[in-house]
Amino acid sequence: MRRTALAALCFAAAASVSLTGCLPGEEKADSEPKGPFAGQTGGEIADQAVKATSNASSLRMKGDIKDDGSRVGLDMALDRKGECAGTMSANGQGRADLVKTGDTLYMKYDEKFLRAQSDGASKEETDGVVAMLAGKWTKMSATGSDAKDIASFCDLDTVLADFQDVNSDATRGRTTTVDGTPAIVLHEKDGKDTYTLYVATEGKPYLLKVVSKSAEDPGTVTFGDFDTPVPAEKPAGKVMDLNEMGG
């Protein structure tokens, strides 16, 4: 079966990555492509974008993923060494900061995030967790059962594992910009699902954004800061060791 460029972008990191947002209207493809990528089809451009993005040593990913029925929002810089730094949220409730460097995962949660994750716990138990953890950096082994799923989002090799053997039939659209970077818009269809891809037209043809319109998982994910060092540094000050606490 033909794999669309977006299918390759629905990468896995412990679970399938889904995208969220809304899709602009379809654009007519140029009969005689001019301008950026002159003479190339949309499919050829999409394939180049997947190749360039898959060769990046690091990148920043912003968007939502579906994990165990929840929407997890991510704004994460990550690299091929498994280092990462960024933020996450669950169903838009609260925020958790995270850093993975070496074999250690550091996380800091705000009160709203902790309370949103306390389903089934009593008010007394939830208040205790909030008092202990809210606004404080914690650490745990990145290979432990409580951390490995989150830590897997930090591994760029895992995230980009499906960036291969793409044979796209995307059609060309207009030119635009994504966060100030000139880009060309591409359109793809996979059954009833439609996708819009934005590919950089200057420098390497990196994939800058994917917008999905799907009955199950509509949405948007963006990519940037390609080949930029990830600011994954151990938090300063006191850090609670959850492994020592049995957490």
Side-chain angles (χ1 to χ4, degrees):
M1 180 181 295
R2 180 186 67 84
R3 294 182 58 188
T4 66
L6 188 72
L9 300 177
C10 292
F11 37 75
S16 295
V17 171
S18 303
L19 312 173
T20 57
C22 51
L23 178 72
E26 292 257 345
E27 315 244 353
K28 294 182 179 179
D30 294 332
S31 57
E32 296 181 2
K34 301 179 180 64
F37 301 104
Q40 297 184 42
T41 66
E44 290 171 337
I45 299 169
D47 292 346
Q48 289 182 59
V50 169
K51 182 177 180 179
T53 305
S54 68
N55 287 334
S57 61
S58 64
L59 55 78
R60 181 182 180 187
M61 178 178 68
K62 297 176 65 176
D64 291 342
I65 64 168
K66 189 175 182 179
D67 183 36
D68 292 335
S70 298
R71 285 288 179 188
V72 179
L74 290 177
D75 183 353
M76 188 86 64
L78 60 160
D79 64 22
R80 295 190 180 279
K81 296 184 295 183
E83 305 274 290
C84 74
T87 63
M88 64 184 299
S89 64
N91 294 320
Q93 300 183 68
R95 163 179 165 151
D97 298 319
L98 67 158
V99 173
K100 178 180 174 290
T101 181
D103 293 325
T104 303
L105 178 67
Y106 299 91
M107 297 194 71
K108 180 174 67 173
Y109 317 88
D110 68 10
E111 179 176 347
K112 189 175 181 180
F113 184 94
L114 291 170
R115 292 193 181 281
Q117 301 303 305
S118 64
D119 286 349
S122 68
K123 182 180 184 303
E124 182 179 7
E125 290 173 327
T126 300
D127 289 345
V129 170
V130 169
M132 181 176 65
L133 297 180
K136 302 172 184 177
W137 278 105
T138 67
K139 70 176 181 178
M140 67 184 85
S141 170
T143 59
S145 58
D146 292 331
K148 62 182 181 181
D149 284 349
I150 294 175
S152 66
F153 289 116
C154 295
D155 187 348
L156 187 58
D157 284 329
T158 298
V159 168
L160 300 182
D162 286 341
F163 273 46
Q164 57 184 339
D165 301 325
V166 174
N167 182 19
S168 172
D169 64 356
T171 58
R172 296 172 59 114
R174 62 188 175 90
T175 56
T176 185
T177 60
V178 177
D179 294 330
T181 300
I184 187 170
V185 180
L186 306 177
H187 300 287
E188 279 206 359
K189 290 185 178 181
D190 185 9
K192 294 183 179 180
D193 297 335
T194 58
Y195 311 105
T196 303
L197 287 66
Y198 296 76
V199 177
T201 59
E202 295 182 358
K204 295 181 180 180
Y206 288 125
L207 182 69
L208 302 176
K209 182 167 71 170
V210 178
V211 182
S212 163
K213 188 173 184 180
S214 159
E216 296 184 359
D217 295 303
T220 300
V221 65
T222 62
F223 303 90
D225 294 348
F226 300 97
D227 300 319
T228 299
V230 173
E233 298 181 358
K234 175 182 175 181
K238 186 178 178 179
V239 177
M240 298 176 60
D241 190 329
L242 296 184
N243 290 132
E244 290 183 356
M245 299 172 61

